[in-house]
Amino acid sequence: MSRISSLEVQLNNVKTLLRTMCDAVNAGIHTLMQHFEHPNPNKLIKIVVLDSEIDNLERAIDTLILQILATQQPLGYELRLAYACAKIAHHVERIGDAVESLARQLVNGDIPEQKEIFLEMLGNAKDLFQRSYSAMFEGDLTLIHEIHVLDDKVDFKQRELYRIAKTILKKNTKDSIDKALRIISMSSKIEKIADLCCNWAEQIDLAENGVMRRKIHKQKYRLIFMDNVGGLQASIAASILYQNVKEIVDLSVVASQPMKSNNILNFSNILAEYEITPQIFPIARIPSMNWNKALMLIILGNFELPKEELEVVPYKTVQIIWPEINFFPDELENDGKKFKEFVTLLQERTNQLVQIIARTQTQNE
């Protein structure tokens, strides 16, 4: 019995240190938000000083966990908890680093003109932090269900700030370059805080349940197909790919012009000969498309997008062009040879894409 009691005491000591560490970081985030509303460089300097204390707490937690593993040989829940605490301490320390870096940038410069957007990002990041904190120390795991919805909001605001930064960069002056780089740097650090809070939530779920439940996993990445013939080619390409990757990624279709008379259901019988089931995808235009989690934009055909539309596509979204997939809907519907050539080319391309996605999935696991 003494061994169990000792293990419980040691794990409680780890959680006490971890809570102290989290409280310090949470205070730093709160100070950052206050500074945007009421600038006070003296309080920001305290965040910079506090960072060394956070580093010391992480080292103390690592030492305690090593002692637990060496002397108690924990199993089951206790082992998962010890492992999770080590990972969480590392995540919280990295959040502290991001907070300290933001404090340094704000001490050395004015409040950005995009104050409201930054405040909204910080508010969502703080909410993520507090949800993970409450799940960890108060046992309310319902707070981390669907936590990545909040993370998506932070990502959306980051993309908005990136577009603003790109516009500022076009002025091509030293002052505009400095402003743009500052916006990019600060928004990236807030996005990093949000991501680390999600990692923290997943570790809590792992410790409590032995698995990271599907409901708090990040939303699937999305592949977006695009053509300049109203979305027909893109819809067929997405239908071919759908059966193989529907559990891994989401698929969407955009078009550079509205669809006219042709639609994918007109090709149901022909596609059935190739064992392809047509899927109905809503066809969007680039400006109205939800680019959240968009991993790839696959352009079918050889055409150029207007510059203002290209700027809407997130910089992280990989753009791939399949120039040989360049057919008109009428010739596909009326010429069997053309349709066979079209499907053959698409199957070759989509098979390559399936292999890339499968390898990426294996590496992530």
Side-chain angles (χ1 to χ4, degrees), residues 26 29 33 121-133 143 147 150 197:
N26 190 41
I29 297 173
M33 294 188 68
M121 280 188 80
L122 268 174
N124 285 327
K126 185 179 181 184
D127 191 4
L128 283 164
F129 189 98
Q130 290 175 335
R131 283 169 178 266
S132 297
Y133 182 98
L143 292 171
I147 195 170
L150 273 175
C197 289

Short mmCIF file of all heavy atoms in Angstrom, two decimals, residues 26 29 33 121-133 143 147 150 197:
data_model
loop_
_atom_site.label_atom_id
_atom_site.label_comp_id
_atom_site.label_asym_id
_atom_site.label_seq_id
_atom_site.Cartn_x
_atom_site.Cartn_y
_atom_site.Cartn_z
N ASN A 26 -0.68 31.47 -18.31
CA ASN A 26 -2.01 32.07 -18.46
C ASN A 26 -1.99 33.55 -18.08
O ASN A 26 -2.62 34.38 -18.75
CB ASN A 26 -3.01 31.32 -17.60
CG ASN A 26 -4.44 31.74 -17.90
OD1 ASN A 26 -4.82 31.93 -19.05
ND2 ASN A 26 -5.24 31.89 -16.85
N ILE A 29 -0.55 35.46 -21.02
CA ILE A 29 -1.52 35.67 -22.11
C ILE A 29 -2.49 36.79 -21.75
O ILE A 29 -2.82 37.66 -22.57
CB ILE A 29 -2.28 34.36 -22.41
CG1 ILE A 29 -1.33 33.28 -22.92
CG2 ILE A 29 -3.38 34.62 -23.45
CD1 ILE A 29 -1.97 31.92 -23.09
N MET A 33 -3.21 40.53 -23.68
CA MET A 33 -4.51 41.06 -24.08
C MET A 33 -4.76 42.43 -23.45
O MET A 33 -5.29 43.34 -24.12
CB MET A 33 -5.62 40.08 -23.69
CG MET A 33 -5.56 38.76 -24.44
SD MET A 33 -7.00 37.70 -24.14
CE MET A 33 -8.29 38.65 -24.96
N MET A 121 -7.89 36.89 -32.14
CA MET A 121 -7.03 35.70 -32.17
C MET A 121 -6.57 35.32 -30.77
O MET A 121 -6.64 34.16 -30.37
CB MET A 121 -5.80 35.97 -33.05
CG MET A 121 -6.00 35.83 -34.54
SD MET A 121 -4.43 35.94 -35.42
CE MET A 121 -3.79 34.28 -35.19
N LEU A 122 -6.10 36.32 -30.03
CA LEU A 122 -5.61 36.06 -28.67
C LEU A 122 -6.75 35.56 -27.78
O LEU A 122 -6.55 34.67 -26.93
CB LEU A 122 -5.01 37.33 -28.08
CG LEU A 122 -3.51 37.54 -28.25
CD1 LEU A 122 -3.10 38.91 -27.75
CD2 LEU A 122 -2.71 36.45 -27.54
N GLY A 123 -7.95 36.12 -27.95
CA GLY A 123 -9.09 35.69 -27.15
C GLY A 123 -9.42 34.23 -27.38
O GLY A 123 -9.67 33.48 -26.43
N ASN A 124 -9.40 33.81 -28.64
CA ASN A 124 -9.67 32.40 -28.95
C ASN A 124 -8.55 31.50 -28.43
O ASN A 124 -8.81 30.40 -27.95
CB ASN A 124 -9.83 32.22 -30.46
CG ASN A 124 -11.17 32.73 -30.97
OD1 ASN A 124 -12.16 32.66 -30.26
ND2 ASN A 124 -11.20 33.27 -32.17
N ALA A 125 -7.29 31.97 -28.56
CA ALA A 125 -6.16 31.18 -28.05
C ALA A 125 -6.25 31.04 -26.53
O ALA A 125 -5.97 29.96 -25.98
CB ALA A 125 -4.85 31.85 -28.45
N LYS A 126 -6.65 32.12 -25.86
CA LYS A 126 -6.79 32.06 -24.40
C LYS A 126 -7.91 31.10 -24.01
O LYS A 126 -7.80 30.35 -23.03
CB LYS A 126 -7.07 33.45 -23.85
CG LYS A 126 -7.11 33.48 -22.31
CD LYS A 126 -7.37 34.88 -21.79
CE LYS A 126 -7.38 34.87 -20.26
NZ LYS A 126 -7.72 36.19 -19.70
N ASP A 127 -9.01 31.12 -24.78
CA ASP A 127 -10.12 30.19 -24.52
C ASP A 127 -9.65 28.75 -24.66
O ASP A 127 -9.98 27.88 -23.83
CB ASP A 127 -11.25 30.48 -25.50
CG ASP A 127 -12.54 29.75 -25.13
OD1 ASP A 127 -12.58 29.09 -24.08
OD2 ASP A 127 -13.52 29.84 -25.90
N LEU A 128 -8.85 28.47 -25.69
CA LEU A 128 -8.28 27.13 -25.87
C LEU A 128 -7.43 26.74 -24.67
O LEU A 128 -7.50 25.60 -24.18
CB LEU A 128 -7.42 27.11 -27.14
CG LEU A 128 -8.17 27.03 -28.48
CD1 LEU A 128 -7.24 27.39 -29.62
CD2 LEU A 128 -8.72 25.63 -28.69
N PHE A 129 -6.61 27.68 -24.22
CA PHE A 129 -5.74 27.42 -23.07
C PHE A 129 -6.58 27.08 -21.83
O PHE A 129 -6.32 26.10 -21.12
CB PHE A 129 -4.86 28.64 -22.80
CG PHE A 129 -3.77 28.41 -21.79
CD1 PHE A 129 -2.48 28.12 -22.19
CD2 PHE A 129 -4.02 28.49 -20.42
CE1 PHE A 129 -1.47 27.90 -21.27
CE2 PHE A 129 -3.04 28.28 -19.48
CZ PHE A 129 -1.74 27.98 -19.92
N GLN A 130 -7.60 27.87 -21.56
CA GLN A 130 -8.41 27.67 -20.36
C GLN A 130 -9.23 26.39 -20.42
O GLN A 130 -9.47 25.74 -19.39
CB GLN A 130 -9.31 28.89 -20.15
CG GLN A 130 -8.51 30.14 -19.74
CD GLN A 130 -9.37 31.39 -19.66
OE1 GLN A 130 -10.41 31.49 -20.30
NE2 GLN A 130 -8.92 32.37 -18.88
N ARG A 131 -9.67 26.01 -21.62
CA ARG A 131 -10.40 24.74 -21.76
C ARG A 131 -9.49 23.56 -21.43
O ARG A 131 -9.89 22.62 -20.72
CB ARG A 131 -10.93 24.60 -23.19
CG ARG A 131 -12.16 25.44 -23.47
CD ARG A 131 -12.48 25.46 -24.96
NE ARG A 131 -13.68 26.22 -25.23
CZ ARG A 131 -14.91 25.72 -25.33
NH1 ARG A 131 -15.08 24.41 -25.18
NH2 ARG A 131 -15.94 26.47 -25.59
N SER A 132 -8.27 23.59 -21.97
CA SER A 132 -7.32 22.51 -21.68
C SER A 132 -6.94 22.50 -20.19
O SER A 132 -6.81 21.44 -19.58
CB SER A 132 -6.06 22.67 -22.54
OG SER A 132 -6.39 22.54 -23.91
N TYR A 133 -6.78 23.70 -19.63
CA TYR A 133 -6.45 23.84 -18.20
C TYR A 133 -7.55 23.21 -17.34
O TYR A 133 -7.28 22.42 -16.43
CB TYR A 133 -6.29 25.32 -17.88
CG TYR A 133 -5.91 25.64 -16.45
CD1 TYR A 133 -4.58 25.89 -16.10
CD2 TYR A 133 -6.87 25.72 -15.45
CE1 TYR A 133 -4.24 26.20 -14.79
CE2 TYR A 133 -6.54 26.02 -14.15
CZ TYR A 133 -5.22 26.26 -13.82
OH TYR A 133 -4.88 26.56 -12.52
N LEU A 143 -15.04 20.04 -22.05
CA LEU A 143 -14.53 21.32 -22.55
C LEU A 143 -13.59 21.16 -23.73
O LEU A 143 -13.35 22.12 -24.47
CB LEU A 143 -13.82 22.08 -21.42
CG LEU A 143 -14.73 22.59 -20.30
CD1 LEU A 143 -13.90 23.12 -19.14
CD2 LEU A 143 -15.65 23.69 -20.82
N ILE A 147 -12.55 20.83 -29.72
CA ILE A 147 -11.68 21.97 -29.41
C ILE A 147 -11.05 22.57 -30.67
O ILE A 147 -10.72 23.75 -30.73
CB ILE A 147 -10.58 21.55 -28.39
CG1 ILE A 147 -9.92 22.79 -27.79
CG2 ILE A 147 -9.57 20.61 -29.02
CD1 ILE A 147 -9.01 22.50 -26.62
N LEU A 150 -12.32 25.89 -32.39
CA LEU A 150 -11.72 27.16 -31.96
C LEU A 150 -10.38 27.38 -32.65
O LEU A 150 -10.04 28.49 -33.03
CB LEU A 150 -11.54 27.17 -30.44
CG LEU A 150 -12.71 27.64 -29.59
CD1 LEU A 150 -12.38 27.46 -28.12
CD2 LEU A 150 -13.04 29.09 -29.89
N CYS A 197 -2.11 24.30 -27.62
CA CYS A 197 -3.23 24.02 -26.70
C CYS A 197 -4.02 22.80 -27.16
O CYS A 197 -4.48 22.00 -26.34
CB CYS A 197 -4.16 25.24 -26.61
SG CYS A 197 -3.46 26.64 -25.72
#
